[in-house]
Amino acid sequence: IDPTGRSSRRNATIISNSVAVQTGRDPSSAGIAFHWGRGPDGEPAAFFADREGERLWFGSGTRVEDRLILFMGRIGPGPGLGFASRGWTAFLVENPDDPPAAWEITELDTPDNPLGVSVGFAASLRQGDHLVALGSLDPVKSHPIYAARWTIGAARNGRLMEPEWWAGEAGWVPDSSRVPRWPIFEHGQSEISMHLDTVTDRFLAVHTRGFGPADVMIRAAPELTGPWTPGRMLYRPPEYHRPDILIYAAKAHPELEGADLVVTYATNSLALGDVVADSLLYYPRFVRLERCPAP
């Protein structure tokens, strides 16, 4: 957040999370407004406040009737890039159509998670009468993607303590079951997207492959739980060969207009000076995808 209003990253404040509201479905013409919090000293702060030794990073979110469920990762210090997951949490917004400053927000109780899945951080979506939350098993390098779900009624009322989990041949099992949970696919990422493609009537998942220079991948399945095709390269970002680059968080946005499918990905750099100097880094990049004609 640049307090001078000049959109410069020099002497700006880095916050853990913020909210952006886009007005319009075509990114090339839509407007956007950003919202963040204020600390006791009036300085910019996270919209969802930092805790003692812990920050909150946005995962996914899904509208559930008239309410909004937001899944967030609890992040603490760690090795490597300097952070590590401490689990997940979720918030219920009772009035998401109001301006974010007026939101009525409740942090929800969530169950213990001995498996270590970042529930809802990868993606979430409504499927029929259920809210499904996807999460990867980190720091396992193959990023297996697991699925939990709740009825729409339970999710709307903020009751997340008793999810069901996908368990492969055993189907959906209650959280109390000793049946092993089973990933819906391997080789995902911490952040992905999943949606039902109305043209092909198949589920599509979009994510990156690789650490640092990464490609945007796509895979498909007849059902959310699979079987999923292997990931296929969809797009190689032009930043791929840039030194110290980090490409991640590729996601499809079927709710957006301007192409058959709009995909975004994020970029960052291992060289902090590059991020400060180059305002094209560390913003989502938008890609237009056009569907190939049927053979």
Side-chain angles (χ1 to χ4, degrees):
I1 308 299
D2 175 21
T4 69
R6 293 194 296 265
S7 301
S8 171
R9 289 180 175 162
R10 300 187 186 279
N11 301 315
T13 300
I14 298 177
I15 60 175
S16 303
N17 60 70
S18 62
V19 172
V21 178
Q22 179 176 306
T23 304
R25 294 185 178 271
D26 187 336
S28 66
S29 59
I32 195 165
F34 297 93
H35 305 265
W36 58 89
R38 293 286 178 183
D41 56 0
E43 292 298 311
F47 188 91
F48 289 84
D50 295 342
R51 315 159 191 260
E52 182 89 22
E54 188 174 275
R55 296 164 286 166
L56 296 176
W57 286 1
F58 267 108
S60 184
T62 295
R63 182 74 175 242
V64 181
E65 308 297 353
D66 57 335
R67 296 178 174 180
L68 178 64
I69 300 287
L70 298 173
F71 294 95
M72 304 192 81
R74 297 168 40 231
I75 307 297
L81 295 176
F83 60 86
S85 172
R86 290 186 174 178
W88 68 284
T89 189
F91 291 84
L92 174 69
V93 181
E94 295 192 25
N95 55 333
D97 293 322
D98 291 340
W103 279 359
E104 298 175 15
I105 301 172
T106 302
E107 185 169 8
L108 304 177
D109 292 330
T110 54
D112 292 336
N113 183 17
L115 187 60
V117 173
S118 300
V119 176
F121 194 82
S124 62
L125 66 159
R126 180 169 179 169
Q127 185 189 26
D129 295 330
H130 288 87
L131 170 65
V132 180
L134 307 177
S136 63
L137 186 59
D138 295 326
V140 177
K141 291 184 178 180
S142 63
H143 290 287
I145 300 296
Y146 290 79
R149 73 177 188 178
W150 302 264
T151 65
I152 291 298
R156 182 190 176 277
N157 289 293
R159 301 196 306 269
L160 302 187
M161 286 296 292
E162 298 181 358
E164 293 182 316
W165 290 84
W166 178 249
E169 293 183 356
W172 294 96
V173 300
D175 191 58
S176 58
S177 173
R178 295 186 178 181
V179 175
R181 283 55 168 153
W182 201 255
I184 59 174
F185 62 78
E186 298 270 357
H187 305 292
Q189 280 291 349
S190 299
E191 298 180 69
I192 69 172
S193 70
M194 186 180 293
H195 71 280
L196 179 62
D197 179 42
T198 56
V199 175
T200 62
D201 198 31
R202 295 190 302 170
F203 284 89
L204 301 180
V206 172
H207 53 84
T208 54
R209 180 182 63 188
F211 176 79
D215 293 314
V216 179
M217 311 296 290
I218 191 169
R219 60 176 77 209
E223 302 289 344
L224 182 148
T225 52
W228 285 89
T229 63
R232 300 177 66 178
M233 181 177 167
L234 182 65
Y235 180 73
R236 172 159 288 180
E239 300 90 349
Y240 186 91
H241 297 290
R242 179 169 176 163
D244 299 314
I245 194 67
L246 294 170
I247 300 171
Y248 60 102
K251 300 176 183 181
H253 301 273
E255 73 280 1
L256 296 183
E257 299 173 353
D260 288 337
L261 185 61
V262 177
V263 167
T264 59
Y265 64 92
T267 59
N268 204 334
S269 176
L270 293 171
L272 181 59
D274 289 349
V275 181
V276 173
D278 187 351
S279 61
L280 294 180
L281 288 173
Y282 211 36
Y283 277 111
R285 310 294 290 174
F286 286 74
V287 181
R288 294 184 178 94
L289 299 179
E290 302 298 335
R291 196 180 298 272
C292 295

